[in-house]
Amino acid sequence: MVGNPNHGRLYYRCTASRDFVRQHRISHPPALYLREDQITTPIDRFLREELTGTALTDNIRRVAEAQYRAALAAHDTAGEIDRLRQDIADADSKISRYRATLDAGGDPELIADWIRETTAIKKAAQSRLGLTEAPPQRMTAHQIDTIAEAFNDLFRLLRDADPRDKAELYSRIGLRMTYKPGLETLIAEVSTPASSRVFDWCPRGDLNPHAR
């Protein structure tokens, strides 16, 4: 469904050609309209109820725990720590040999280039090792409470928010409208990367097949 201004109001519209309707043997008017407030009202209510107060804190805690467990499971699964430590040891060995070659009368400029190149490789491995060796950390209760409070402040303003601000919010949470003609049902889907998909079903009686 797509947004469509009509008679001074905003609607969501789903159109279907006669050939499409006939081919799929579905009950679908040429153009089905649903007033925007029939969508935004339950969506706003869902956001206020599920994403504020203790429900929000619990949701953040569950998401944070899931992310922590996933990061912990992926931590050093490819043996990168051992590889980086070996790279550092190899670099130290090479630098020692280069210095021995220099002491034996080797070309100072050539050997200096070798040492600089190998030292750069060693430092890069050391830097990466410092990041890799640190295991993932759980989000603290204080961090969760801080995020929850910020969301609480946001959704308290949702009902009276400017439509453009609400549109930005809906876009960020991935609000999408899909009309299922076989069920004669509209699905309002809110999907974000950090959560499972959530559905809010509008019964057939709430559908407005004509713009008025």
Side-chain angles (χ1 to χ4, degrees):
M1 303 190 77
V2 296
N4 182 69
N6 199 316
H7 297 292
R9 290 182 174 179
L10 291 176
Y11 290 81
Y12 274 82
R13 180 186 64 190
C14 183
T15 59
S17 67
R18 292 182 179 179
D19 290 340
F20 181 87
V21 170
R22 187 181 306 110
Q23 178 183 353
H24 293 275
R25 298 180 179 179
I26 57 177
S27 174
H28 195 301
L32 181 138
Y33 288 87
L34 180 66
R35 260 199 356 234
E36 187 184 50
D37 58 7
Q38 292 183 319
I39 299 169
T40 58
T41 298
I43 291 295
D44 290 352
R45 183 171 59 249
F46 164 80
L47 292 175
R48 287 194 302 272
E49 292 175 354
E50 297 297 325
L51 299 180
T52 57
T54 56
L56 173 61
T57 302
D58 291 342
N59 286 337
I60 294 175
R61 185 178 294 110
R62 285 195 295 268
V63 170
E65 181 65 19
Q67 290 178 333
Y68 166 75
R69 290 183 179 277
L72 191 63
H75 181 62
D76 194 36
T77 54
E80 186 178 14
I81 291 177
D82 289 339
R83 181 182 61 78
L84 291 171
R85 287 174 176 168
Q86 186 60 52
D87 289 345
I88 294 170
D90 291 344
D92 286 336
S93 297
K94 288 181 180 180
I95 291 172
S96 295
R97 291 198 300 270
Y98 295 156
R99 287 173 177 167
T101 302
L102 181 63
D103 292 340
D107 185 339
E109 291 188 9
L110 179 60
I111 294 173
D113 288 341
W114 291 350
I115 291 176
R116 280 194 295 270
E117 180 180 351
T118 306
T119 299
I121 294 173
K122 175 183 175 180
K123 289 182 177 179
Q126 288 174 324
S127 177
R128 177 61 184 165
L129 182 62
L131 297 174
T132 304
E133 283 189 315
Q137 299 295 317
R138 274 191 172 93
M139 187 177 292
T140 67
H142 176 70
Q143 289 171 322
I144 292 174
D145 289 342
T146 299
I147 295 173
E149 184 58 32
F151 272 95
N152 280 326
D153 291 340
L154 171 63
F155 289 114
R156 288 189 191 105
L157 303 175
L158 184 61
R159 179 179 300 172
D160 301 319
D162 184 282
R164 291 169 296 183
D165 294 333
K166 293 175 73 170
E168 174 69 15
L169 173 62
Y170 295 150
S171 175
R172 287 181 178 273
I173 64 176
L175 177 61
R176 185 176 61 182
M177 316 308 301
T178 306
Y179 177 61
K180 297 293 186 179
L183 301 174
E184 295 186 334
T185 302
L186 178 79
I187 296 178
E189 181 184 26
V190 177
S191 178
T192 63
S195 67
S196 299
R197 291 179 175 181
V198 179
F199 296 93
D200 182 55
W201 296 80
C202 292
R204 180 182 177 184
D206 288 345
L207 292 177
N208 181 4
H210 302 288
R212 293 176 181 172

